[in-house]
Amino acid sequence: MALTPVLIRDVSEDEILSRIVPLLPVSPHATVKSGDDCAVLEVNQVAVSTDMLVEGVHFRRDWSTGADVGWRAAMQNIADAVAMGARPSTLVVSMELPGDLPLAWVEDCARGMAQATRSCGCGIDGGDLVGGKAVVLGVTVLGDMEGRAPRLRSGARPGEALIHAGNIGHAATGYELLRRGFTPSRSVRQPRSRCNVARNYVKSAHDVFMENFLRPWPPVSAVLNAVRAGSLGALMDVSDGLLRDARRMAKASHMWLDIDTLKLEENFRAVMVVAPQLGMHDCLDWAYRTVLGGGEDHGFLATLRRHEEKAWGLHTPLLPQGFKRIGTVRDKWEGGRVTLDGKDIPAYLGNSGWDHFSR
């Protein structure tokens, strides 16, 4: 006989905390752990960022397990800290929980957050629980600058290579597959031991894309290694689409960024694999829109510090491991400019990318 699940309305806040706190890792820099009025961390210069995940806006429970949501909530905040050149130290997590939510879902969410944070050496040290009408997660990340100056969007300089680490277009493709009724196989749900571990198992392209939407994999180690080596000029997380975020870097730096679409051919070909199954009539056009405009991959856009190059040339820069060149910082440009192959962005791509407040 099936057991009746324990719901949130059936237990107290202390009972919920007693079930999820033991699942969460503690920051190695915590001198006072979660459970008091505040956790206390031993860090110097701190990078701080906050993100929210709202049910029905950022995730659906019929698509995502609790572990998927927990993983994603942690990773999108970890990516923000890394984008500043900071090593993620800890997360503070607040949750709104409806009364009819199974307690097991919340425990699963905690396990997903723990998997993500442990894989990056990050802790979870505090937060809050409230009742409400939908599942909402508010996550704040604290990152240790490790004595370095922050890497900024405004750091691009003329002549630098425009480089990228991580996936481009995978999450948007995965979202479209889920929206059209495709279901990920069980292998998608298996935990991984590292943030940027190689996929050494066989799975379909559909599963890869859906996994990358449900559980994004920001290349944390590759970016932090490049930051520590002093290889990067400007740096930012790409969460709202390559073109939209490139515009933000261009505007902040007052630079002209030119993206070379030939260097994105591998990305276009990758997502085109599933275009026929999605009923796309013009597969290449859809691939362009998806790669250039799709968000939620949490890769990283950066520029390569020119003085780090030992054999400078437009086509042969020495790149940090995990990065690939996708363009060039052409020149100064007041207010910023982004082009594709030296030409203005076509009108049909003009408003590409994710915007919470677009209509």
Side-chain angles (χ1 to χ4, degrees):
M1 187 173 70
L3 297 176
T4 302
V6 178
L7 303 180
I8 291 299
R9 62 171 172 250
D10 300 326
V11 292
S12 68
E13 180 179 356
D14 286 344
E15 288 175 296
I16 298 171
L17 290 171
S18 72
R19 299 284 284 271
I20 64 176
V21 169
L23 302 174
L24 304 176
V26 175
S27 168
H29 301 280
T31 58
V32 176
K33 300 178 182 180
S34 178
D36 220 305
D37 290 311
C38 286
V40 179
L41 305 176
E42 192 176 51
V43 293
N44 295 316
Q45 192 178 14
V46 178
V48 181
S49 182
T50 296
D51 264 317
M52 297 181 70
L53 282 181
V54 179
E55 183 178 3
V57 177
H58 302 99
F59 69 91
R60 288 170 41 172
R61 275 189 272 157
D62 57 331
W63 289 357
S64 305
T65 67
D68 291 336
V69 175
W71 176 281
R72 188 175 173 201
M75 279 302 189
Q76 68 181 27
N77 281 273
I78 286 169
D80 281 339
V82 172
M84 298 299 295
R87 178 186 53 76
S89 179
T90 194
L91 303 180
V92 178
V93 181
S94 296
M95 302 176 73
E96 175 185 329
L97 305 174
D100 60 355
L101 182 70
L103 178 58
W105 191 96
V106 183
E107 293 178 281
D108 199 32
C109 182
R111 292 188 185 95
M113 284 190 285
Q115 290 168 5
T117 52
R118 284 197 179 100
S119 68
C120 300
C122 180
I124 301 175
D125 296 281
D128 191 26
L129 298 176
V130 297
K133 296 182 179 180
V135 179
V136 179
L137 280 74
V139 182
T140 298
V141 63
L142 303 179
D144 186 351
M145 296 304 306
E146 299 180 322
R148 294 182 298 273
R151 296 292 87 203
L152 305 177
R153 301 176 180 186
S154 57
R157 298 294 178 263
E160 292 180 333
L162 186 66
I163 60 178
H164 183 275
N167 296 321
I168 310 179
H170 284 209
T173 304
Y175 169 79
E176 191 63 26
L177 287 164
L178 288 163
R179 193 177 73 84
R180 299 292 186 96
F182 287 82
T183 304
S185 71
R186 296 182 64 183
S187 66
V188 173
R189 305 294 198 232
Q190 297 304 310
R192 312 287 182 254
S193 60
R194 294 176 61 84
C195 284
N196 5 332
V197 67
R199 314 301 201 275
N200 56 1
Y201 50 90
V202 176
K203 61 170 61 178
S204 72
H206 297 69
D207 276 349
V208 170
F209 294 133
M210 286 184 283
E211 174 186 6
N212 290 156
F213 173 74
L214 296 171
R215 298 195 183 197
W217 289 83
V220 171
S221 296
V223 176
L224 287 180
N225 287 341
V227 168
R228 289 165 179 152
S231 300
L232 305 182
L235 175 64
M236 67 180 296
D237 168 44
V238 180
S239 56
D240 294 332
L242 181 60
L243 287 182
R244 183 176 289 269
D245 286 323
R247 287 192 190 97
R248 290 167 174 161
M249 180 178 285
K251 183 178 180 179
S253 295
H254 300 286
M255 291 289 154
W256 169 15
L257 309 184
D258 184 35
I259 295 173
D260 183 349
T261 58
L262 285 176
K263 298 185 183 300
L264 295 173
E265 279 193 352
E266 181 181 342
N267 305 91
F268 297 138
R269 288 197 301 269
V271 302
M272 282 177 66
V273 170
V274 302
Q277 287 78 26
L278 291 172
M280 301 300 170
H281 299 295
D282 188 335
C283 295
L284 182 59
D285 175 75
W286 177 78
Y288 263 67
R289 292 173 185 270
T290 302
V291 169
L292 295 171
E296 299 298 327
D297 282 309
H298 296 289
F300 296 89
L301 184 67
T303 64
L304 184 65
R305 278 192 167 174
R306 186 163 184 165
H307 71 267
E308 292 292 323
E309 305 236 15
K310 302 299 187 277
W312 176 255
L314 284 178
H315 302 292
T316 58
L318 302 177
L319 302 181
Q321 186 173 5
F323 282 84
K324 79 172 190 174
R325 185 170 188 168
I326 64 168
T328 303
V329 183
R330 291 295 180 191
D331 206 345
K332 295 180 181 178
W333 195 281
E334 188 62 31
R337 181 191 186 194
V338 177
T339 56
L340 297 175
D341 306 320
K343 300 176 182 179
D344 289 332
I345 297 169
Y348 75 92
L349 289 172
N351 294 317
S352 61
W354 173 254
D355 184 346
H356 276 285
F357 302 101
S358 63
R359 294 292 184 265

